[in-house]
Amino acid sequence: MSPGRASGPVVRVAEPLGAPASGPKPADPAAESARIAPATQAVVARLEALAEAATGDAAVILMTTAAMAADPALISEAERLVVAEGLPAARAVHESANGFAKTLAAAGGYMAERVRDIEDVRDRVVAELLGVEPPGVPELTAPSVLLARDLAPADTAGLHPDRVLALVTEEGGPTSHTAILARSLGIPAVVAVRGLLALDAKALLVDGDTGLVEVADPDATVLAAAKTGPADWDGLGRTSDGHRVKVLGNIGSPADARAAAEAGAEGVGLFRTEFCYLDAAAEPTVAEQRAAYTAVLTPFAGKPVIVRTLDAGADKPLAFLSPDAEPNPALGVRGLRVAFDRPGVLDRQLEAIAGAAEDSSAEVSVMAPMVATAAEATWFAERAHSAGIARVGVMIEIPAAALAAREILEVVDFVSVGTNDLAQYTFAADRQLGAVAALNDPWQPALLRLIAIIGEAAKAAGKPAGVCGEAAADPLLARVLTGLGMTSLSMNAPAIRGVGAGLAGVSRAECEAIAKEVLSAADPVSARSRVAG
Ligand code: PEP
Ligand code: MG
């Protein structure tokens, strides 16, 4: 969920179309092929109208997309396929656009980045020919509540907080990237609402604090998210008796970095570098990466920043790193595992991070995602040191790594607990799947017991252990994590002040006492109620 309460008219996100049927053969191929140009013109006209109403980058993107849709080569190839191969118009457009996308991908660089645009054009024209809604997030003409099965991270990242009052999805768990991105955009969201798609509602009230979604009166005034006032916090993370727990930001873009800095983050506990490349068709060059990372790090000049190397795969596929098809992508070649076969990609990224550290003057450390063993941690640390990066850590998000925290802390400088994945793998419960969302509750005592093991190992090693999963963003749970020995907490900007203020209100001994209580609870509800008292 993402906090805040809003209500307003519903806009549904259409389901993906898939490839249109390749038959039956049109009875009159000439007439069928003549449908293509007008359909394309309708799409172009709609995109141009949207571009006129938009400003800045959005206007430029929409004009570029319109120009692609109007490309005579795309249209004439589709027309040829109808006449020469007897394909229905929709299928011919699909194949013609795919041919162009392949050529662009092969050209690499800037051209390859246009593949997504051509696919967008393809789906819009196909939808026009089939007389159905185009897939993906529609252009919103008024503030609306978006209703979807689920959204791709790239779709969510492109949402405009001024136009999207709230987001509600049938699928997705509390730690899915849709929920995380919604939180970072400050859009109230409720995910995993069973039966949502079957709901016939013109307007909805969405309460991201309680998870309540109600049918609202379509004629009532639109209610924008209530902004909560800033909590009282002096910007230094510590308990009431002065025990330091750094309050850090989770970021993935320059805008996130500015928001985290403005919210008072003492540094960055997680920079998700893969968020810079969700749309990239080809591996960015070292120079491109260095510039992109510098833009993100600059607001934290002189402050500590942990840059995570690419965490691709499963719910965050990167086109240029996509592995062979796997039956279980979340258990496959993802995170650091991608680098074992392609160490060059990691080495180039480390070189770019070292360069960005120099350019931005941030105090940069690196960490690897999805580490399973101490041997993997050693492998990563050696490569990072060779790239000239002095401080190296790893994420603990696989139960085996939590159980091996002592050995891992012998070979790295710090660890950071990714509670989103640690919960997913502890409970064998897909973090994107609404049906198993309750298992991924960060208040699950079994998850907290693993974190206790990590806290003890960190204390014994005299090294820091942070939490950068969504668990850290809950002010009550932040106290528990402090009591379990975590020395920093990292979260999206909107949560920073609340967590900082929450910590300042309790002593370290109180945190340790509630942590003990929670560890002996039988389930998340009783764990939470013991702390909320
Ligand atoms: C996590 O798994 O908790 C984490 C912080 O990484 P991500 O959410 O990016 O997978
Ligand atoms: Mg993770």
Side-chain angles (χ1 to χ4, degrees):
M1 292 192 297
S2 170
R5 200 175 134 90
S7 71
V10 164
V11 169
R12 286 173 183 263
V13 176
E15 303 272 329
L17 286 177
S22 55
K25 244 182 175 161
D28 180 351
E32 181 72 357
S33 96
R35 293 177 59 222
I36 294 174
T40 313
Q41 277 147 18
V43 169
V44 171
R46 224 171 289 137
L47 286 166
E48 283 176 349
L50 288 169
E52 257 168 48
T55 52
D57 285 352
V60 175
I61 291 168
L62 287 162
M63 281 314 288
T64 318
T65 315
M68 285 187 140
D71 183 352
L74 181 77
I75 300 167
S76 60
E77 171 59 7
E79 288 168 343
R80 190 193 68 75
L81 287 169
V82 174
V83 177
E85 303 200 5
L87 293 179
R91 177 65 180 219
V93 167
H94 185 83
E95 291 195 3
S96 166
N98 284 358
F100 278 84
K102 254 196 199 142
T103 315
L104 288 172
Y110 172 81
M111 299 302 276
E113 281 169 27
R114 304 275 71 80
V115 167
R116 226 179 148 261
D117 301 330
I118 198 98
E119 286 171 353
D120 187 24
V121 163
R122 175 195 70 193
D123 293 344
R124 285 172 190 267
V125 179
V126 166
E128 178 72 24
L129 283 163
L130 296 176
V132 298
E133 277 291 302
V137 179
E139 300 300 335
L140 300 175
T141 48
S144 316
V145 173
L146 271 188
L147 187 158
R149 180 178 297 281
D150 199 4
L151 291 177
D155 281 337
T156 317
L159 296 180
H160 208 296
D162 288 349
R163 287 281 159 91
V164 183
L165 293 166
L167 174 63
V168 47
T169 66
E170 167 122 7
E171 303 275 330
T175 57
S176 66
H177 284 93
T178 301
I180 295 174
L181 284 165
R183 272 190 284 273
S184 75
L185 291 167
I187 298 174
V190 179
V191 299
V193 181
R194 305 296 280 284
L196 177 72
L197 293 172
L199 200 66
D200 180 24
K202 301 252 174 315
L204 282 177
L205 170 75
V206 178
D207 189 333
D209 297 309
T210 59
L212 199 76
V213 177
E214 266 178 32
V215 176
D217 175 1
D219 299 323
T221 12
V222 164
L223 167 72
K227 305 262 182 267
T228 44
D232 200 11
W233 181 51
D234 66 5
L236 192 69
R238 59 183 175 323
T239 57
S240 58
D241 54 338
H243 169 61
R244 276 287 274 144
V245 180
K246 282 188 192 156
V247 179
L248 308 168
N250 283 358
I251 61 173
S253 66
D256 284 353
R258 283 191 298 274
E262 273 163 28
E266 298 182 63
V268 170
L270 171 63
F271 168 17
R272 290 183 167 101
T273 54
E274 64 281 358
F275 278 14
C276 300
Y277 302 115
L278 292 173
D279 276 347
E283 183 191 341
T285 63
V286 172
E288 283 166 349
Q289 291 189 54
R290 180 171 176 157
Y293 303 151
T294 303
V296 177
L297 297 180
T298 303
F300 286 94
K303 300 209 172 134
V305 175
I306 302 176
V307 181
R308 179 174 74 183
T309 54
L310 291 175
D311 183 20
D315 55 334
K316 290 175 289 187
L318 290 185
F320 62 93
L321 284 178
S322 60
D324 298 335
E326 296 173 333
N328 292 301
L331 302 180
V333 181
R334 59 160 298 196
L336 181 65
R337 298 169 184 181
V338 173
F340 299 148
D341 279 346
R342 282 177 264 193
V345 176
L346 174 63
D347 291 344
R348 286 186 286 280
Q349 185 179 26
L350 290 168
E351 184 188 339
I353 294 170
E358 256 177 65
D359 296 348
S360 65
S361 307
E363 281 173 27
V364 170
S365 319
V366 286
M367 71 177 174
M370 299 297 298
V371 168
T373 65
E376 290 180 4
T378 306
W379 183 85
F380 176 75
E382 281 171 6
R383 294 196 104 85
H385 290 146
S386 306
I389 299 167
R391 196 163 174 275
V392 181
V394 297
M395 289 193 72
I396 296 200
E397 40 190 356
I398 298 177
L403 298 169
R406 260 172 210 274
E407 291 79 3
I408 288 177
L409 277 157
E410 280 170 19
V411 298
V412 292
D413 302 306
F414 65 92
V415 293
S416 182
V417 187
T419 45
N420 310 333
D421 275 315
L422 189 57
Q424 146 162 282
Y425 295 121
T426 300
F427 290 93
D430 188 334
R431 63 192 266 187
Q432 298 189 89
L433 198 62
V436 293
L439 289 170
N440 280 318
D441 186 330
W443 283 88
Q444 286 280 7
L447 174 70
L448 297 169
R449 286 175 206 159
L450 281 175
I451 298 174
I453 293 175
I454 301 166
E456 276 161 25
K459 200 169 162 198
K463 292 184 179 177
V467 172
C468 63
E470 289 303 297
D474 173 340
L476 277 185
L477 199 47
R479 295 176 172 183
V480 175
L481 297 171
T482 300
L484 293 175
M486 297 296 108
T487 55
S488 66
L489 300 168
S490 192
M491 65 216 71
N492 291 328
I496 288 173
R497 291 199 160 270
V499 168
L503 279 180
V506 279
S507 69
R508 181 181 190 173
E510 280 167 322
C511 290
E512 285 170 351
I514 55 174
K516 214 166 156 197
E517 281 284 314
V518 162
L519 287 183
S520 62
D523 55 63
V525 175
S526 53
R528 199 183 276 109
S529 66
R530 285 178 191 207
V531 177

